[in-house]
Amino acid sequence: MTAQDIPQTDRTDRNRVERYDPTGIEPRWQQRWDELGLYRTDLHDTSRRKFYLLTMYPYPSGDIHIGHWYIKTPTDAIARFHRMHGENVFLPIGFDAFGLPAENAAIKKNINPRDWTMGNIDNMRRQLRMMGATFDWDAEVVTANPDYYRWNQWFFLQFLKAGLAYRATSAVDWCPNDGTLAREQVEGADRHCWRCGAKVEKRDLAQWYLRVTNYADELLDFSGLDWPEAIKTQQTNWIGRSEGGEIVFETAPSGFHPGGAELRVFTTRPDTLFGATFMVLAPEHPLVAELTAPDRFKEVNAYVAQAANRTEIDRLSTDREKTGVALGTDAINPINDERIPIFVADYVLGGYGTGAIMAVPAHDERDYAFANKYGLPIRRVVAGEAARDEVGELDSAYIAHSANDRLVNSGPYRGLPADEGGKAIITALEAIGKGKPSVTFRLRDWLISRQRYWGTPIPVIYCERDGIVPVPDEDLPVRLPDTVDYRGSGENPLNRDEAFLSVECPVCGGPARRETDTMDTFIDSSWYWYRYLSPEKAGAPIDRELVESWTPVDQYTGGSEHAVMHLLYAREFTKMMRDVGLIDQDEPFKRLFNQGQILGLDGERMSKSRGNVVDPDDLVARYGADTVRLFLMFMGPWDQGGPWSPTGIGGVHRFLNRLWTIAVDPHGREPGDPESGTLPAGVDEAAARLQIRQAAHRTLKGVTADYEVFHFNTMIAKLMELANLLMRFRGSVVAGSAEWDEAVRLSLLMLAPAAPHITEELWSRRLAAGGKEWSSIHTETWPAVDESTIVEATREVPVQVNGKLRDRLVVPADIDPAALEAAALASERIRTVLAGRAPLKVIRAGGGRLVNIVVRDEG
RNA sequence: GCCGAAGUGGCGGAAUGGCAGACGCGGCGGUCUCAAACACCGCUGAGGGCAACCUCGUAUGGGUUCGAAUCCCAUCUUCGGCACCA
């Protein structure tokens, strides 16, 4: 058929056909899905394979912004894809409803934090529904509700009983807004609060901790977890396991002290023990006062006091000058009985290792700097091959460690390889009770007390007679009082709420006071995915049977900013729940995916204060939710994120328009295209039909693979290619053929997870046109690839000479190697390039996918 | 400083040992329209040539290979994490 054959009257008036109007379609289908309860998961259905898909629940700050869409809509596509594979998918949603912003708003606007939070949640529910996402709202969890937070309290009491929760007084990190902070929640060299950015101070306070360091070794084991390497590395570094030895030094007797006090040090380099020329205690070390000579008391006290205040002032830089003060007491090196002076210096940290070090200035940069400043001896004790015999005692340089170093200046250990020598030294010390192999971690116990109102009250009572008394289980929950009196200050209003504070001691019945600190809100997010499975369970935190059948979570999606906070706490909490007998699993999330972050137009993190937040409502109003969803998936790889730029959204919208046109108006002509309605030159009807069928199935194969690995951008690109091909054939003899129809059907099914509304609309029209009863496209089964159609009769083979592309041959698909080689050498173009040179070698790569002819290069 | 990720057209990106730049944006040209919008069609890495084509080209320098954006070594840059951890 040619252009002349088509009567001009057939030319379509574009306005005759109904156009794609997402604003009309989308709310209608959302309502329909809701009414049908399409996404309510029957948790007790064991006939199908379960798939627990979890996405990080949002903090109800008030608005869903484009960043939320970037996490949630591809997650929804994953859920729909799995449903189409017959799995019983559970995709719950909830709100991380406790936290400081609610209190700030309350103080500023004089509204109750609960009212503020619940109002925001209402708005966010509405916005989340606009995505057309398949959340199971029946399972919703709101952590600020007493039926949730009472279980935080109950867990705490279980942990207390098991010795996993404890109270201790020490110097803690304290944020003027958030109250005390866990170690992970202090960020940067300037030590600011993770949430509000305020500078963190040190305070001596009695606080509640969870003993997560019990799990340090276990947390390093990621076997069986499909997590991004970057997160595993970050957690591993955070946990910071160091292997070495503990060595006991004793103090030498002096005029004011009998000596014999034990000073334990941790070192990763026991091989350098002979190079220890002094010793350093942290300012917080308990023996500082005892070991200070009377004539040095004043100076040492001043230094310790100044160190305590220093934290917020100038701990800014790692290259800050080292300072310290001598105590006036010596320690005795257990390996050679040498006397070395003891210093106090703030470059040694109280909370790490034993809070004391042996200083080896020749082999440690910090010790070297300190020794240099105070004129202390420097003795080199390990050396490489060349330097070994020339090493003097007082070599003044710091020498980095290298693999084949050997010990020098080390008495009987001289000549041993460093690693071996270190082990030998520890063994020798162990024999005399002065040392042992030892492992130290950087990880600290989790400080969970916060001096805030809007959180879970810690269920403890302080009685003058009975001390710390846990609230009895039957008195849970300890409710937050609803009326809050801030008096314009940021101070915890619970501190002056007599009705809350004053309580009878559960033991003696006498007057007692309640704990007014509340829990870190990261407690809330440490078990919410278990609660999703048991939302109505009143008598227990979790439905154990459902938890065992549905968890661990199959796939977790969310940002990587919580690498060493939420994602680490969740693992720790799971292990604690296991150890008090609540669950029977070691890890919460089998597979983790971190999507990238969408930045503002200015390349900065989106935030209200920067004024660079992109509001999806406007985009949805203009293009529809499907376009916004697709555009976010099409922008680039999901794990990459990047600055927001709306310039490409029109292209995605045009694609949906084309799909609409192909589906509702296959026979229409494009008046703007003179070739419209004709087949391309050299393509007959049979070839066109075959081409369509092959393209559809090849696309299906690629799209299926892309969904499986979350490559949504290339998935959409492939569907665009297919749509472009169909568009080329629109109005021609093959439009509306069986092959065309199959290609449209497959396109809709393939796109259904990503763009659920337009595909549902077009699907329902197909069913109606075929006189069939309506059923949702989202209950369809994912189509199967017909491999036989993908096999082509001929294929194109690139031919290279010396690795440079010189020709492309079209050959029968099943051509044998010899014939392919002959065909390549026979090519006119190749013969010209060869110019008579004989091939040295002919390489047929990838089963004949490519031919490379190797010849001697001329010149 | 240490740890991790990444550098490809004007832009977002594709290709992870075999045809670099799929798909999309932007740009240029065109069709449709009274016109505009919408839509559709074609071209679009750089340089050379009337052309068929040729040369160069994936941060930089080297290497491995018949063949490298892809693997190895070194360097530079950007982004993320850590912050004196003995």
Side-chain angles (χ1 to χ4, degrees):
Chain A
M1 201 181 255
T2 63
Q4 295 98 294
D5 300 332
I6 297 156
Q8 287 299 303
T9 50
D10 252 5
R11 291 194 146 208
T12 307
D13 171 7
R14 271 191 297 257
N15 298 319
R16 180 175 61 80
V17 178
E18 186 189 346
R19 315 210 32 189
Y20 171 45
D21 171 28
T23 52
I25 292 169
E26 293 179 348
R28 199 174 72 233
W29 285 116
Q30 284 165 15
Q31 199 190 336
R32 188 80 182 269
W33 297 333
D34 237 18
E35 285 162 8
L36 291 173
L38 214 49
Y39 305 117
R40 230 168 276 146
T41 307
D42 178 1
L43 295 171
H44 296 280
D45 175 6
T46 52
S47 66
R48 293 176 295 160
R49 205 170 108 194
K50 67 95 181 177
F51 185 73
Y52 191 165
L53 176 58
L54 181 70
T55 186
M56 290 182 187
Y57 67 171
Y59 178 80
S61 60
D63 294 300
I64 297 282
H65 65 70
I66 203 75
H68 292 103
W69 277 66
Y70 192 67
I71 309 169
K72 307 287 180 247
T73 57
T75 301
D76 179 53
I78 296 167
R80 292 175 181 274
F81 181 74
H82 278 265
R83 273 198 207 92
M84 290 175 83
H85 283 81
E87 291 174 28
N88 191 20
V89 175
F90 184 43
L91 174 62
I93 188 80
F95 296 94
D96 185 17
F98 272 138
L100 187 68
E103 278 188 85
N104 289 339
I107 295 164
K108 223 164 121 187
K109 300 178 193 165
N110 197 30
I111 40 175
N112 186 288
R114 176 169 298 278
D115 297 339
W116 182 86
T117 303
M118 295 306 161
N120 286 345
I121 287 176
D122 281 341
N123 187 44
M124 290 177 78
R125 283 194 189 112
R126 181 189 60 78
Q127 289 179 310
L128 283 166
R129 283 170 194 273
M130 245 168 43
M131 291 176 188
T134 60
F135 297 121
D136 182 349
W137 288 96
D138 286 357
E140 186 199 65
V141 157
V142 176
T143 59
N145 287 339
D147 62 0
Y148 187 83
Y149 71 70
R150 72 170 291 175
W151 299 113
N152 288 343
Q153 297 172 338
W154 187 83
F155 285 130
F156 175 85
L157 295 173
Q158 297 291 308
F159 297 152
L160 191 60
K161 254 180 257 169
L164 289 169
Y166 65 94
R167 190 168 136 104
T169 303
S170 64
V172 297
D173 295 309
W174 194 86
C175 164
N177 301 316
D178 287 58
T180 51
L181 296 175
R183 182 61 200 80
E184 296 78 22
Q185 295 160 22
V186 182
E187 293 181 340
D190 60 343
R191 303 183 55 75
H192 60 264
C193 171
W194 74 282
R195 180 158 225 164
C196 71
K199 277 209 176 172
V200 167
E201 305 162 22
K202 284 279 180 201
R203 290 216 174 167
D204 273 308
L205 289 171
Q207 300 282 280
W208 287 98
Y209 292 83
L210 296 184
R211 212 178 288 281
V212 297
T213 49
N214 273 11
Y215 303 101
D217 257 319
E218 199 190 338
L219 289 164
L220 290 170
D221 179 8
F222 293 92
S223 52
L225 298 190
D226 182 4
W227 280 35
E229 286 303 320
I231 300 287
K232 292 195 279 187
T233 307
Q234 264 191 69
Q235 291 202 353
T236 301
N237 292 343
W238 188 262
I239 293 160
R241 185 179 200 273
S242 288
E243 230 170 291
E246 200 172 289
I247 298 176
V248 184
F249 285 66
E250 272 180 27
T251 56
S254 63
F256 68 95
H257 194 279
E262 285 195 348
L263 286 173
R264 290 171 182 276
V265 304
F266 172 75
T267 178
T268 54
R269 295 287 308 279
D271 54 310
T272 63
L273 181 53
F274 282 86
T277 53
F278 58 102
M279 196 167 182
V280 186
L281 306 186
E284 302 91 338
H285 195 283
L287 291 181
V288 168
E290 185 185 329
L291 299 177
T292 301
D295 61 325
R296 307 212 45 87
F297 231 89
K298 216 170 138 187
E299 203 187 338
V300 169
N301 276 348
Y303 184 82
V304 169
Q306 177 221 334
N309 287 328
R310 181 190 296 284
T311 43
E312 61 167 326
I313 306 161
D314 64 354
R315 289 193 65 129
L316 283 166
S317 164
T318 50
D319 41 59
R320 197 183 94 230
E321 207 179 337
K322 305 271 175 292
T323 60
V325 179
L327 296 185
T329 301
D330 287 344
I332 298 169
N333 187 336
I335 201 76
N336 58 6
D337 293 334
E338 191 178 4
R339 286 177 69 131
I340 56 175
I342 304 172
F343 287 78
V344 58
D346 66 3
Y347 81 89
V348 172
L349 307 176
Y352 181 79
T354 59
I357 61 157
M358 62 180 208
V360 184
H363 306 289
D364 181 280
E365 273 182 285
R366 297 150 301 182
D367 298 343
Y368 176 72
F370 191 86
N372 242 1
K373 177 165 179 185
Y374 294 102
L376 298 163
I378 297 165
R379 184 190 307 141
R380 189 170 175 188
V381 290
V382 292
E385 197 72 39
R388 199 164 301 153
D389 291 319
E390 301 139 35
V391 171
E393 283 235 337
L394 297 175
D395 222 322
S396 62
Y398 156 72
I399 308 294
H401 187 48
S402 102
N404 40 20
D405 284 345
R406 284 170 189 267
L407 298 189
V408 296
N409 290 327
S410 295
Y413 301 94
R414 182 183 188 283
L416 284 178
D419 292 352
E420 200 180 305
K423 284 188 189 121
I425 287 171
I426 288 294
T427 306
L429 292 176
E430 203 165 8
I432 55 168
K434 298 274 187 184
K436 60 180 183 201
S438 162
V439 174
T440 296
F441 295 92
R442 221 184 87 116
L443 184 75
R444 312 288 170 81
D445 279 340
W446 181 6
L447 195 170
I448 60 161
S449 307
R450 298 289 178 277
Q451 295 68 49
R452 304 299 325 173
Y453 160 77
W454 190 233
T456 303
I458 294 174
V460 168
I461 289 164
Y462 301 102
C463 169
E464 271 185 38
R465 231 195 57 160
D466 298 301
I468 298 172
V469 182
V471 173
D473 283 357
E474 58 271 23
D475 293 348
L476 297 183
V478 176
R479 283 176 180 272
L480 275 180
D482 282 331
T483 48
V484 191
D485 172 17
Y486 279 104
R487 291 186 202 165
S489 85
E491 205 207 320
N492 185 353
L494 294 178
N495 287 339
R496 49 177 172 248
D497 186 328
E498 259 322 299
F500 176 83
L501 273 171
S502 165
V503 65
E504 262 183 26
C505 170
V507 178
C508 67
R513 312 288 277 176
R514 277 197 197 281
E515 171 68 85
T516 58
D517 284 355
T518 52
M519 294 183 200
D520 186 356
T521 55
F522 279 111
I523 297 277
D524 310 350
S525 53
S526 289
W527 66 285
Y528 71 106
W529 63 95
Y530 293 122
R531 188 64 185 171
Y532 278 146
L533 292 163
S534 354
E536 281 148 33
K537 198 95 183 168
I542 59 171
D543 183 323
R544 179 133 192 187
E545 200 183 314
L546 286 175
V547 161
E548 291 310 329
S549 64
W550 278 86
T551 57
V553 165
D554 295 283
Q555 176 70 60
Y556 197 19
T557 63
S560 59
E561 65 272 22
H562 288 304
V564 294
M565 289 197 279
H566 165 60
L567 289 169
L568 190 54
Y569 296 139
R571 296 180 67 212
E572 293 164 350
F573 208 85
T574 297
K575 291 173 197 302
M576 289 196 290
M577 284 175 70
R578 176 199 62 195
D579 286 355
V580 295
L582 293 169
I583 51 173
D584 190 25
Q585 56 194 259
D586 304 321
E587 291 286 345
F589 317 126
K590 263 193 285 203
R591 196 162 173 226
L592 172 69
F593 185 89
N594 294 123
Q595 89 290 339
Q597 200 169 36
I598 295 290
L599 307 171
L601 275 167
D602 51 3
E604 298 290 326
R605 253 188 79 173
M606 279 192 197
S607 73
K608 278 187 183 163
S609 56
R610 281 202 189 87
N612 62 353
V613 175
V614 176
D615 179 4
D617 287 16
D618 301 343
L619 293 165
V620 171
R622 185 152 170 217
Y623 297 101
D626 281 340
T627 295
V628 177
R629 289 170 63 114
L630 279 192
F631 178 55
L632 288 168
M633 292 186 223
F634 185 62
M635 276 172 44
W638 194 25
D639 58 2
Q640 198 173 287
W644 169 258
S645 161
T647 50
I649 196 165
V652 171
H653 193 62
R654 271 193 284 282
F655 159 59
L656 289 182
N657 266 310
R658 275 201 294 280
L659 184 74
W660 180 274
T661 304
I662 289 160
V664 304
D665 188 23
H667 299 291
R669 300 286 174 73
E670 177 46 55
D673 175 11
E675 310 275 295
S676 179
T678 68
L679 295 177
V683 177
D684 64 12
E685 185 180 336
R689 286 175 169 232
L690 183 62
Q691 196 186 343
I692 290 171
R693 183 153 161 78
Q694 283 180 338
H697 279 271
R698 204 173 306 118
T699 303
L700 175 57
K701 189 173 183 172
V703 162
T704 306
D706 283 344
Y707 267 116
E708 270 157 12
V709 290
F710 308 160
H711 289 179
F712 301 111
N713 56 333
T714 53
M715 178 275 285
I716 293 165
K718 287 176 179 111
L719 287 170
M720 285 174 166
E721 278 187 83
L722 181 58
N724 291 346
L725 178 77
L726 291 174
M727 200 67 186
R728 227 164 284 144
F729 287 121
R730 192 168 75 104
S732 76
V733 287
V734 297
S737 64
E739 290 81 3
W740 169 285
D741 190 63
E742 185 194 25
V744 171
R745 184 175 155 271
L746 290 177
S747 291
L748 295 180
L749 289 167
M750 284 188 273
L751 194 61
H757 309 90
I758 186 175
T759 49
E760 183 79 302
E761 175 70 22
L762 292 173
W763 190 258
S764 78
R765 287 170 185 237
R766 279 174 65 85
L767 292 174
K772 290 185 196 132
E773 204 180 317
W774 180 80
S775 73
S776 172
I777 191 173
H778 303 297
T779 58
E780 290 293 316
T781 300
W782 190 256
V785 179
D786 182 351
E787 293 281 351
S788 67
T789 65
I790 299 180
V791 179
E792 295 179 62
T794 60
R795 60 196 167 86
E796 200 182 64
V797 178
V799 181
Q800 302 177 329
V801 175
N802 286 350
K804 266 185 191 158
L805 180 71
R806 295 299 179 178
D807 198 9
R808 293 163 218 254
L809 299 177
V810 176
V811 298
D814 57 353
I815 190 169
D816 68 86
L820 176 62
E821 190 174 320
L825 288 169
S827 144
E828 195 60 41
R829 300 255 296 268
I830 296 301
R831 281 165 61 184
T832 311
V833 174
L834 292 181
R837 290 172 297 175
L840 297 174
K841 200 169 8 164
V842 177
I843 289 167
R844 292 180 310 273
R849 271 202 336 277
L850 171 142
V851 175
N852 188 16
I853 299 165
V854 185
V855 294
R856 202 189 320 280
D857 246 321
E858 357 164 33

